[in-house]
Each structure stands twice: as structure tokens, then as C-alpha cells.
Amino acid sequence: MTLPPSASDIPSVVRLRAEYQNAAFGIGAARPRLSWNTATTAKNWVQAAYEIEAHDAAGRSLGQTGRVASDQSVLVPWPFAPLASRQRLAVRVRVWGSDGQQSDWSEPISIEAGQLAADDWTARFVTPAWRDDPSRPQPSPLLRREFELRADVRRARLYITALGLYEAQLNGQRVGDQVLAPGWTSYHHRLRYQTFDVTSQLRRGPNAIGVILGDGWFRGRLGYGGGRHNIYGERLAVLAQLEVEYSDGTSERIVSDPAWRAATGPILASGLYDGETYDARLERPGWSAPGYDDQDWAGVETLDWDLARLVAPTGAPVRRTQLLAPVAVSRLPSGRALVDFGQNLVGWLRLTVSGPRGQVITLRHAEALEQGELAIRPLRYARATDTYTLRGQAVEEWEPRFTFHGFRYAEVDGWPGELTPQAIRAVVCHSDLERTGWFECSNALVNRLHENVVWSMRGNFLDIPTDCPQRDERLGWTGDIQVFSPTACYLYDSAGFLASWLADLAAEQAEANGNVPFFVPNIMAHPNLPAAAWGDAAVLVPWVLYQRYGDTGILAAQFDSMRAWVDLIAGVAGERRLWDTGIQFGDWLDPDAPPDKPGKARTSPQIVATAYFARSAELVGQAARVLGKEAEAAAYQALAAEVRDSFGHEYVTRGGRLMSDAPTAYALALEFALLPEADLRQRAGQRLLELVRQGGYHISTGFVGTPLICDALCHAGAPEAAYRLLMQRECPSWLYPVTMGATTIWERWDSLLPDGSVNPGEMTSFNHYALGAVADWLHRVVGGLAPAEPGYRRLELRPRPGGGLTHAEASLRTPYGLARCSWTIAAGAITVEVTVPPNTAADVYLPGQAAEPLAIGSGQYQWSYPYQPNHVQPAPLSLDSALEAIVEDADAYEAVMQIIRRHNPEFADRLNGPTGISLRQIVMLNPQPDELLSRLETALANSGKTRS
Ligand code: BGC
């Protein structure tokens, strides 16, 4: 049927969600907030009213709101009675537009509550009756129980979790598709359970449940420098409660209890860092099916454990999300095979193999090669080695269960016969979040940089936000996610995932009198001192979630934690309002810091600390205002003003210089609004630009300055300088790793040195998202898509073309629907296209047009007009031109630098230093200047020709 042309103007409600979930199954919130999008082609569409209705499974109404006059469509408060444990209902929504048009009822979404109270659990944790040797990895126990179901099953749910990792099976079949469940939370405070619909896996008559447990985060080795075992406990245990509803309406409950049996199986050892050792000869066929003889199995004991700590997940589970085939399989001189997947990733290998019984295959993993062999030094104390012993049957398929590795390469030893590419796959695993944001532009290297950011997020969003996925850390380092959270919230729907992590942060912080651990969950035996930019995650991450998702609930939930952090720092700083004590990470991994002293940055850690103190105090004040806490709002904003004053007094000269004359210091001062007077800001911006220019447009910031530097340059009126930093390909820069073949973001600007060797420092991961925080600038400034109001209720569409790009495009599934901003320059004209989702509005700043924005409502728009990229035609350059003028001309500068590097590499640095002198003057300092001068002269002349 063809619809009449105006039909799509009629609104329809789509993407109905409860909290952050499309399928709200086993949800932990008794009052889940509801969100929806409206699809319509009508322009300027604004919601005038909504109606919500709830039904039970039999279609009986459980309530309706009637027509509610409201434009709210994101995180609308639950309008009905709170859900009871395990309650199931369906909800649907319809809306009215301000144009009077009404939608049909939406497709209903079903919502099913999990176990909402501790006393819903009659199951108890059970653990094998034997005691393991707690000093080293132990075989994984199998636990099982048979049970009889007396009738046909209408519905069945398995609620399950473990102290350790688990995989559950019913009647010989795996339950669900999650891996590494129940994930990692601060187990002392919170442990997630999972809910599975297992209706189709049960039958009338005999059934069996089986559970395999692994050491995982619970008792496996964790932490750098050798780490510790048994951080949360020595005994693995499972908690399982199977609720069965028969077709006659009666029900049955099977729980983990003393009747379960336990034995060891084929997993001889497993560790997240070290890998898994699996002997297929020790498999117990049929162990999780009924009728298996478990007479010789041991019994189990129940473990006391506070069930009030159980919580339902708020984020997506970890799943296998992609399989990669090798791009190359080769043979090493040692005779072992080397497999290259062409992409640095996180997960493990899957083998398909046949060979003699007892043959042992060893798999070692690494992110990089050095002299053709795996570079394993960066892994530190992580063995990253899996072994599989064949059972000797026709074809065996295997992958590990209770480990993960960060790798691009794998070395395979002991493979029977020739290893073919078909026999091996890389299984990519991470929290299976919904992708929401995309970016692309006309520069292939920048696109690859962006792709690398996406891959680093995938690799490090494995249940918690980690620093890196390969070495003996993989910890929830607070500073890393603090700087990366704006990027994360654009690329994927990170709200539920980060809300869970923040709940752990708050729980652990409360235990530490307001101090935030370096990483969450905290595994340190002793408390740490507060560290700026790291501990500030307590304030900044909730604020980012509020900005990007419009979620005031997260501010309410975290407010005490946010405030406690600032109160703690106010105490440390004292009346002087300067945080200049303690141990700080500062502008971690500033490229000017020596490889073995990553904290020795050019910007003093005190400047970083006091700047963050001001920023966090300001944001706690703003959060208080959002929450209607006026007294707190005034108090924290006054505190912030005092800190800014002290900062200015102590660290800023009257001429607008900072006491650390380094880009990070200026970027902090500008972006954290620490300079009250316009005149100071102008001069600080000018100085920042000078420093960046003197650095030859190489990056010179670490974790703290990197997310700010491009914005700071734009705010200083120098977007082209930001583009020069972005487009720089020499080391250090964002694109240097890309030119070296990087497929993820590196921890260091030079994790791989220009000569292809691995950086000798300790911090040499090839998969750290922190320095990828620039992607947020790509989205907001290059693509031009930013939130003007929390949750993108109002968009700021303000693309700033530059850097020689002819096209860029950002698109984002905002809480209100898909938004897009794209620009293309061709034949002297620019075309800007935008999409503004229904029920939102936007301010559009067209490149090269009036400074005043166009205010528009929802819909799709396009503008085309004559446009000349803002290129000032540089004056012809010669040997007598001032150095600054040469640095300013990207082509000339590159030509000059190439020659100087080839001729006299040590000399290259001098070109970035002094100002006010000519190229000739500086080259004359060279022992043999003549030949160099004549080459440079030709190069400058040539670069002038190409330009004109
Ligand atoms: C981690 C970082 C972390 C840092 C703290 C490192 O070992 O990998 O990313 O933030 O320590 O200084």
C-alpha cells in the first residue's frame, strides 16, 4: 500500500525505552524512567502531550496517565505503582504534537523486574566442599544439580551470579550469550546478578543445571607489580535461583543449596592476566545434563554472604561481538606459527583443530612485534598464554572462557600439522553497548585515528572502563575515564555502564572518607592519597552523563559523592585555596617527560591540581542548582570563585603568563575559566598559540592537556592551529601512530618509536583510550555537533572547516533521535546539511556567515553558498623570512624540516625555539651552513610555486 504523501507528518512513537534499555528484562529499578523518540517528517515538531499506558501479560490495564500536557520525552518519571519483584508488564505511549497531530499507540515494550529485594532470594551461595590452595591458580570447579519438573513449563527464569566468573548450562546447553559474567563491581559493596529467560531450555521430567566457575576478578591475580590473589575471597561460589512457572499456573523454585555436587573439570587454571589452561581429556561429557553419574563428586557447602549487596545490571553485558579472520599466518624462525589479525583487539582465540590425543597447543598473545617476534615486555607480569590439550577426536573447537587478552598477534606452538587461516579466529569481546555516534571526514588518516578511538573504547569498555586491556593492570583508572567520558558518551550509549561504575566509585569513596581511589573497583591494600584529575572523575563523569543524556537522576544519585570529593580537597587545600601538596600524576605522559618518568611533565602538578579543584567546585555548584539545592549551589560556586582567585594570584602573572609556561597550563586556565578578565584570557591565548607554534605544531600535552588543547586554541581564536596539531604526522602527534600502522590509540605518543622499536618505558600499552579524547573535539568542532542543552535537547551545530578538509560529518543518536551535521566544500561553495530530531531545536552557526546563530526547530535543512576556506595567502618566503612565518606555512615548514632532519637531525629542535630571527640566522649556527642554505632556498622557492 502506498501511503498518502503527508502520512509521515503524522508522528509515531519509536525507540521506547525503560531506563537505558530497549528490552528491560530483569531490570533493577522499581520505578524505571521512560524515554521515547518521535518519528515525523513535520518540521519544528514539538511534543505537546503524551499518554502512557501499562498492561499486564493478559492485557489487563495496570494504569494510564491520561493525556499529560508536557514536552518531556526523555527519562520521564515512572507514572504507576512501583514494580514488584519479577513483575512483568507492557508499556505503550502515544503523543500529540503542538500542531495538534496525534500518534498511534507505540509498539509496547515489555518490562520485567528482577529480584528487587534481598529476601527474594531463597538460594544460597554454594562452594565446593574441598579447600583450594589459595596461593596459586586452581582448577575450575563444576557444580551441578538434577531436578524433576512435574508439568510443562510456561515460563522459567534463571537468576544467577557468582563469587568468581560463571558459565551456566541447562540440560547440556549454555545459558545465554554473556561472557565473563557477572562482571566486575566492588564486590564488597555490590555484586551484579543476571536474569535469563530459560523457558525453552527446560522440559517436563528430569532436568539438570551445571555451572562452571573461574577465578576472574574475584580471586585471580590482580594488580601491577606482581599483584595479589584472593582480593575478594578464597572460595568460588555460585548463587542460582530458577523460577519455573508451569502451564497449569503452579510454580516451582530450584535453588543452589547443599544438595548440589562439585568436581573439577578440564580447566586446570585460569587467570585474567595469565590465560587459561584447558585439558580436553578431562572433560566430563554430559555433566550438565540429567542422568550423569556424579556419585564420585564432592559435596558443596553454603557460604554466608550478604544478599543485600546483589544488584541488577544497568549496563549491557559483555558479549562476543565480532569474529576476525587472520590477515596473515607465517612461520617464525623457531618453527612456531605467527598469526596477524591486522587489528589490535580484545578477546581471545577460537581454534578448530584435529590431532592426536594429548597434543598441547600453546597460544601467546601480544599487541606488537619487535624484530619479528612478539613484543611481550609491555605486558609486564601478564603471561597472556592459553594452552589447549587435545582430546584426540575428529574436529575439536575450543576457546577459553575465563580470561581475555589484548592482542593483534598470536604465536601458536604445537599445532598439529600446518596451521591454516581457516582454523583460527579472533573473538572480539566487550560490553555490548549500543553504538550511537559516528564521524568521518575527507582525510583518511583522521578517519583511521577516529576508528582507532572506537577500537580502544571497545577494548577498554569490558564491564568497567579500564586503562588498558593487555598488561597486568586492566584497572578502572579514574583519570583515564575522566578525560575520555565525553568521547565515550558520543560513540556508544554509555549511560548505564558508567552509572554502574559510578555507584562503585561512590561506595568505595564513602569508605575512604571522601577520597576517591586511583581506580575503581579499588584493589589496593592501603588507601591512596587524593590525586587531581583522577579523583575528579567523581565530579566530572556524572556531569558528562548529565550533559550528554540529560539525566538529572545521575546527578541526584552521585551528588553526595561529588560533594564529598570537593569537601575533601577543600580540607587538603585549606584557607589558601591552593592544592599544592601530595602526590600527583599531573599531566601524565607529557611527551616531554622522560620515558621512565611519565609524571615529569612541563606543567607543574600544582597548577593541574588547583585548576581541577576550581573546576570540580564549580560543577558541584552547578549540579546543586540543577537539583534545586540553592544553598549548596551558592556555597560551592563561592568556593570555586575563591579557588579561581587563588589560582590567579599564585600562578598567573599580570601579563597573562602562567607559572608553568606550557600548553597544558594555558589550556587548563582557558578551558576551566580560571582567568576572569578578558584581557588576561586574550594574552594567555596568545601565549598558548606561541608555544604551540614554537613546538612546530607537535603535541606537547599529556592526559590532562590533551582533551583541552584543541578547544583552547579555538577559544583563543586560532582554530587553524588546532587543525595543525590534528594534522601533524611527525612524532609526537595524533597521526604519528596512524602512520606507524596503529589500529588502536596508544598509551604514549610514541609507544612505537620512529625506528620501529617499542618504547623502553614501563607505560607502553598500545591500547589506551585516554589520548583519544580528541575525538570529542572532532565530533563537536570538526563535525560541528554539540549539545547546547543537557541531553541535546538543544543542539549547537557549528562546524568549523579547516585543516584542508573538504568534508566532515558527525551523526549521533541523541536521546531524542538521530541528529546530523555535515559540510562539504567544492567548487568555491560550501554545503551544510543538518538533521535536528523532533522535539528538539538547534542553533546553527554557518561557516563564514554572521556570528549570530540561526535558531531552527526539528527537521532536515540544507544551505549552499559561496565559500573560500579561510586561507590567508602567505607572503613569499625566503631564507630571510622570520622563523615564525615559515612555521606558519605548513607546506614550507614541512619542506624545510625534511631537509634539516636529513642533514642534521639534532639541529631540528632549534627551529622550534627562538623567535624574532630569520631562517638564515639560525642555519648559520650550523657548522657547515652553505650546502644546507642552498637546499633550503630551493625548497622554499618550490613550496612557493606549488602554492601559487
Ligand atoms: C595506567 C594509567 C593510569 C596511570 C596513573 C598507569 O599505569 O595505565 O592509564 O591513569 O597509571 O598514573
Side-chain angles (χ1 to χ4, degrees):
M1 189 186 82
T2 335
L3 294 170
S6 64
S8 56
D9 274 3
I10 301 194
S12 60
V13 174
V14 294
R15 276 177 65 77
L16 182 54
R17 283 150 291 151
E19 287 300 314
Y20 288 99
Q21 301 169 22
N22 299 320
F25 182 72
I27 196 166
R31 298 171 150 278
R33 298 165 299 172
L34 301 171
S35 306
W36 57 85
N37 294 171
T38 303
T40 172
T41 53
K43 280 208 166 175
N44 305 318
W45 193 88
V46 177
Q47 178 184 295
Y50 67 76
E51 182 173 6
I52 307 174
E53 211 178 56
H55 294 275
D56 69 9
R60 280 183 300 258
S61 169
L62 294 175
Q64 61 243 349
T65 59
R67 183 182 156 129
V68 179
S70 165
D71 63 359
Q72 213 187 336
S73 56
V74 168
L75 300 168
V76 174
W78 182 248
F80 308 118
L83 298 173
S85 284
R86 301 188 292 280
Q87 186 180 351
R88 293 185 310 127
L89 47 75
V91 164
R92 58 182 192 163
V93 173
R94 62 177 166 178
V95 297
W96 288 263
S98 54
D99 56 1
Q101 296 273 22
Q102 175 190 342
S103 77
D104 278 340
W105 284 107
S106 67
E107 283 297 312
I109 57 155
S110 54
I111 298 177
E112 181 170 322
Q115 305 256 79
L116 302 183
D119 59 12
D120 290 324
W121 296 91
T122 52
R124 290 295 170 259
F125 277 99
V126 296
T127 182
W130 68 80
R131 297 306 288 252
D132 285 321
D133 171 358
S135 66
R136 52 196 180 90
Q138 298 296 306
S140 274
L142 311 176
L143 292 96
R144 74 183 303 273
R145 161 94 148 102
E146 297 202 12
F147 54 94
E148 194 71 23
L149 295 179
R150 64 184 138 75
D152 288 338
V153 176
R154 181 197 290 163
R155 183 171 14 260
R157 300 288 183 260
L158 176 64
Y159 302 96
I160 182 167
T161 189
L163 305 178
L165 301 173
Y166 74 84
E167 181 189 301
Q169 303 185 0
L170 277 169
N171 298 325
Q173 218 181 66
R174 195 181 200 290
V175 172
D177 57 1
Q178 308 192 6
V179 296
L180 301 167
W184 191 12
T185 44
S186 171
Y187 298 137
H188 300 304
H189 303 98
R190 300 167 69 248
L191 172 62
R192 290 192 213 112
Y193 66 89
Q194 281 76 32
T195 305
F196 295 99
D197 179 353
V198 292
T199 314
S200 65
Q201 286 179 269
L202 297 173
R203 51 184 177 239
R204 173 202 284 259
N207 290 268
I209 182 169
V211 178
I212 320 174
L213 298 176
D215 292 358
W217 296 282
F218 187 80
R219 74 169 188 188
R221 180 165 67 85
L222 273 191
Y224 43 83
R228 294 191 293 142
H229 281 102
N230 306 307
I231 288 179
Y232 298 99
E234 287 182 8
R235 302 185 79 179
L236 301 181
V238 61
L239 178 80
Q241 184 156 321
L242 182 61
E243 304 271 349
V244 180
E245 205 180 300
Y246 292 119
S247 15
D248 62 8
T250 59
S251 60
E252 181 110 42
R253 176 179 289 177
I254 294 97
V255 299
S256 47
D257 64 15
W260 286 45
R261 312 283 292 162
T264 56
I267 300 180
L268 292 175
S270 65
L272 296 175
Y273 297 163
D274 292 330
E276 185 168 308
T277 306
Y278 189 99
D279 187 342
R281 296 169 303 180
L282 302 176
E283 284 172 350
R284 297 174 178 272
W287 71 279
S288 65
Y292 176 86
D293 180 5
D294 61 16
Q295 293 243 343
D296 60 339
W297 285 38
V300 299
E301 292 167 9
T302 56
L303 274 191
D304 272 342
W305 202 83
D306 180 7
L307 300 181
R309 292 184 217 160
L310 294 172
V311 293
T314 55
V318 180
R319 292 199 179 97
R320 304 172 179 89
T321 61
Q322 196 177 347
L323 286 182
L324 288 186
V327 294
V329 177
S330 54
R331 210 156 261 294
L332 291 168
S334 59
R336 301 178 189 130
L338 180 71
V339 187
D340 175 4
F341 290 95
Q343 171 63 52
N344 197 23
L345 61 98
V346 175
W348 50 73
L349 297 172
R350 177 181 291 174
L351 314 179
T352 310
V353 59
S354 40
R357 185 174 173 83
Q359 171 89 16
V360 179
I361 300 176
T362 304
L363 309 164
R364 297 200 306 152
H365 307 74
E367 299 187 299
L369 297 181
E370 232 177 350
Q371 281 147 19
E373 299 278 343
L374 296 187
I376 53 169
R377 186 179 47 80
L379 305 179
R380 307 204 298 220
Y381 291 99
R383 282 183 61 235
T385 304
D386 296 334
T387 62
Y388 178 71
T389 305
L390 274 75
R391 76 176 88 85
Q393 273 166 5
V395 177
E396 304 176 34
E397 192 168 279
W398 179 78
E399 60 189 90
R401 280 190 178 85
F402 297 137
T403 188
F404 65 89
H405 310 292
F407 65 104
R408 168 177 166 167
Y409 302 94
E411 189 193 272
V412 181
D413 194 15
W415 190 271
E418 194 63 27
L419 173 60
T420 63
Q422 292 70 34
I424 195 158
R425 288 289 173 273
V427 183
V428 180
C429 298
H430 50 85
S431 291
D432 195 8
L433 310 177
E434 184 189 354
R435 180 84 191 257
T436 48
W438 296 267
F439 170 85
E440 60 162 27
C441 69
S442 54
N443 182 302
L445 293 177
V446 174
N447 288 342
R448 181 67 231 195
L449 170 73
H450 190 263
E451 194 54 21
N452 292 357
V453 176
V454 174
W455 272 101
S456 280
M457 173 162 177
R458 293 175 73 184
N460 284 295
F461 268 51
L462 197 151
D463 209 58
I464 60 154
T466 57
D467 56 337
C468 58
Q470 73 299 81
R471 68 176 178 229
D472 53 353
E473 291 206 58
R474 316 185 193 188
L475 303 174
W477 276 96
T478 47
D480 303 46
I481 188 60
Q482 189 271 108
V483 299
F484 190 70
S485 52
T487 300
C489 290
Y490 179 94
L491 294 175
Y492 286 86
D493 179 353
S494 305
F497 175 98
L498 289 175
S500 171
W501 182 78
L502 284 170
D504 284 333
L505 181 148
E508 297 192 328
Q509 180 195 6
E511 212 173 41
N513 302 319
N515 190 14
V516 176
F518 287 162
F519 30 78
V520 174
N522 188 12
I523 55 161
M524 298 277 259
H526 304 288
N528 53 256
L529 289 168
W534 271 250
D536 289 281
V539 177
L540 282 125
V541 177
W543 186 253
V544 168
L545 291 182
Y546 167 62
Q547 289 298 324
R548 300 305 173 98
Y549 300 111
D551 188 349
T552 49
I554 193 75
L555 290 185
Q558 295 300 127
F559 188 72
D560 288 345
S561 149
M562 297 166 79
R563 176 171 55 186
W565 169 253
V566 171
D567 291 349
L568 178 92
I569 301 313
V572 171
E575 287 310 306
R576 294 167 60 232
R577 301 297 189 220
L578 293 173
W579 184 9
D580 52 9
T581 54
I583 300 169
Q584 298 287 352
F585 298 120
D587 194 21
W588 187 249
L589 289 171
D590 172 340
D592 291 315
D596 59 337
K597 295 200 174 58
K600 256 189 144 334
R602 282 171 63 196
T603 297
S604 94
Q606 288 83 10
I607 286 190
V608 173
T610 300
Y612 263 96
F613 178 24
R615 173 80 175 146
S616 281
E618 173 64 32
L619 291 183
V620 169
Q622 290 190 28
R625 184 139 294 131
V626 173
L627 297 172
K629 299 172 187 283
E630 291 305 325
E632 280 105 325
Y636 286 96
Q637 287 185 322
L639 171 64
E642 287 173 29
V643 182
R644 283 194 291 264
D645 265 5
S646 299
F647 184 93
H649 186 75
E650 193 78 12
Y651 300 124
V652 188
T653 70
R654 275 188 282 165
R657 292 260 183 146
L658 275 126
M659 296 308 288
S660 293
D661 195 26
T664 292
Y666 291 94
L668 280 168
L670 291 168
E671 291 310 294
F672 288 3
L674 303 177
L675 306 175
E677 294 149 34
D679 177 44
L680 272 189
R681 281 198 297 277
Q682 201 259 330
R683 289 204 232 166
Q686 201 47 44
R687 180 63 190 153
L688 171 63
L689 184 56
E690 273 164 27
L691 289 172
V692 168
R693 190 188 289 147
Q694 278 174 21
Y697 297 97
H698 294 93
I699 197 82
S700 58
T701 50
F703 274 31
V704 165
T706 298
L708 307 175
I709 184 81
C710 287
D711 280 309
L713 286 166
C714 288
H715 291 141
E720 270 309 318
Y723 270 110
R724 290 271 307 262
L725 282 184
L726 174 69
M727 295 298 177
Q728 176 65 266
R729 284 189 258 168
E730 292 171 349
C731 186
S733 69
W734 280 293
L735 293 186
Y736 161 72
V738 178
T739 65
M740 295 293 284
T743 58
T744 38
I745 299 297
W746 297 347
E747 175 173 27
R748 288 176 180 275
W749 295 110
D750 56 354
S751 282
L752 206 60
L753 301 176
D755 66 6
S757 63
V758 173
N759 188 301
E762 267 245 309
M763 308 283 162
T764 307
S765 137
F766 290 87
N767 201 352
H768 246 70
Y769 49 53
L771 301 179
V774 67
D776 184 52
W777 182 78
L778 294 178
H779 306 146
R780 286 184 291 102
V781 179
V782 181
L785 200 165
E789 282 176 18
Y792 297 85
R793 180 87 215 220
R794 191 169 191 93
L795 300 146
E796 183 176 303
L797 302 174
R798 187 181 204 168
R800 264 149 291 187
L805 295 179
T806 53
H807 167 70
E809 171 169 353
S811 44
L812 174 69
R813 205 180 271 288
T814 73
Y816 295 87
L818 194 71
R820 178 170 165 266
C821 185
S822 142
W823 56 268
T824 307
I825 299 173
I830 189 166
T831 303
V832 178
E833 289 176 350
V834 307
T835 302
V836 179
N839 210 24
T840 68
D843 295 320
V844 184
Y845 297 78
L846 292 172
Q849 302 267 322
E852 282 306 299
L854 298 167
I856 58 173
S858 71
Q860 295 193 9
Y861 303 78
Q862 197 204 74
W863 297 269
S864 286
Y865 51 90
Y867 181 83
Q868 278 310 323
N870 197 11
H871 251 40
V872 192
Q873 195 58 26
L877 295 168
S878 72
L879 288 173
D880 297 308
S881 302
L883 270 181
E884 292 97 309
I886 294 174
V887 176
E888 266 327 270
D889 184 320
D891 297 335
Y893 179 61
E894 186 160 338
V896 165
M897 282 307 261
Q898 264 184 18
I899 293 171
I900 291 194
R901 277 215 189 82
R902 223 175 305 134
H903 203 90
N904 186 351
E906 275 103 71
F907 199 65
D909 275 354
R910 299 232 186 152
L911 266 193
N912 302 325
T915 50
I917 55 173
S918 69
L919 181 60
R920 187 190 302 278
Q921 283 170 309
I922 193 109
V923 173
M924 290 303 281
L925 300 174
N926 204 284
Q928 282 139 0
D930 294 344
E931 194 195 334
L932 191 50
L933 282 174
S934 90
R935 284 189 186 194
L936 289 170
E937 193 160 28
T938 323
L940 285 174
N942 285 344
S943 88
K945 267 187 229 136
T946 11
R947 246 193 336 264
S948 47

